[in-house]
Amino acid sequence: MFRHVVLLRWTEDATEEQKAEVARRLGELPRLIPELKSYRFGPDAGINPGNFSFGLVADFDSPEDYLVYRDHPAHRAVIDECIAPILAERAAVQFALPPDGDPAARPNS
Amino acid sequence: MFRHVVLLRWTEDATEEQKAEVARRLGELPRLIPELKSYRFGPDAGINPGNFSFGLVADFDSPEDYLVYRDHPAHRAVIDECIAPILAERAAVQFALPPDGDPAARPNS
């Protein structure tokens, strides 16, 4: 598996409606992009000062499937129409998920 | 469930040994901190220019369990001894995982 992680910071003048529209539009992508095997996102919980505004984690079978998502017209449309207008800062990483599973999910590891 | 996501950028003079030590030490945490229900991390795959260096995603049953991890002495030791000396930039978000599951994992959604 291959994981894409992105954190976004919204501009100070971003409205609640604009932020909600980002989540609504992203929520449409799993049925449009079957390469998405897991797709979880949400607004920052507000526990820690200095955090970014919004987090997203997407899992794919392979780096190639991630590229399909990255460049998919439906995804690019959400970025161009909803995210870019309220984006102040962005941080991203893609990393391989080890095939031997999750160390925290292994009993007596 | 409650998800913690953090992205780190290493300093330019960080050595491969220092980066490997971060991963090795983080890998010890699931057996020390049972609140960690899932713990996945890795170096950036190098696909996209401008990315951060390292990504980490941790899942907990609750925000309270995340706080146990955040403030756990074993976790703080990894930050102080391994991460802080090579840290150039950090971005983080915590967000709630909706109880109705993963939209990308639902058939015919």
Side-chain angles (χ1 to χ4, degrees), chain A:
Chain A
M1 296 286 283
F2 191 76
R3 177 163 281 186
H4 163 62
V5 180
V6 62
L7 303 180
L8 307 174
R9 190 189 300 281
W10 304 136
T11 57
E12 288 192 14
D13 61 355
T15 68
E16 292 307 312
E17 289 72 17
Q18 286 175 304
K19 299 174 195 176
E21 183 69 1
V22 169
R24 192 186 70 74
R25 291 283 300 275
L26 289 175
E28 296 176 345
L29 296 183
R31 68 179 174 83
L32 301 172
I33 309 175
E35 285 81 2
L36 277 167
K37 298 308 181 197
S38 172
Y39 201 52
R40 310 302 292 264
F41 53 80
D44 181 64
I47 294 175
N48 296 313
N51 268 14
F52 277 44
S53 313
F54 186 88
L56 182 148
V57 179
D59 290 343
F60 304 88
D61 285 336
S62 67
E64 292 72 24
D65 278 3
Y66 157 68
L67 293 177
V68 170
Y69 162 80
R70 186 191 68 177
D71 301 330
H72 194 289
H75 179 219
R76 305 309 307 180
V78 180
I79 294 171
D80 293 344
E81 296 164 15
C82 301
I83 294 175
I86 59 171
L87 186 63
E89 204 172 350
R90 179 183 185 277
V93 161
Q94 294 84 40
F95 64 96
L97 290 174
D100 57 348
D102 191 326
R106 253 182 276 151
N108 306 315
S109 65

Side-chain angles (χ1 to χ4, degrees), chain B:
Chain B
M1 297 287 284
F2 190 75
R3 177 162 281 187
H4 164 61
V5 180
V6 62
L7 304 180
L8 307 174
R9 190 190 299 281
W10 305 136
T11 57
E12 288 192 13
D13 61 355
T15 68
E16 292 307 311
E17 289 72 17
Q18 287 175 305
K19 299 175 195 175
E21 184 68 0
V22 169
R24 192 187 70 75
R25 291 283 299 276
L26 290 175
E28 296 177 346
L29 296 183
R31 69 179 175 83
L32 301 171
I33 310 175
E35 286 80 3
L36 277 167
K37 298 308 180 197
S38 172
Y39 202 50
R40 311 303 292 265
F41 52 80
D44 182 64
I47 294 175
N48 296 313
N51 267 14
F52 276 43
S53 313
F54 187 87
L56 182 148
V57 179
D59 290 344
F60 305 88
D61 284 337
S62 67
E64 293 73 22
D65 278 4
Y66 157 69
L67 294 176
V68 171
Y69 161 81
R70 186 191 68 177
D71 301 330
H72 194 288
H75 179 219
R76 305 310 307 181
V78 180
I79 294 171
D80 293 343
E81 297 165 15
C82 302
I83 293 175
I86 60 170
L87 186 63
E89 204 172 351
R90 179 184 184 277
V93 161
Q94 294 84 41
F95 65 95
L97 290 175
D100 57 348
D102 191 326
R106 253 181 276 151
N108 307 313
S109 65

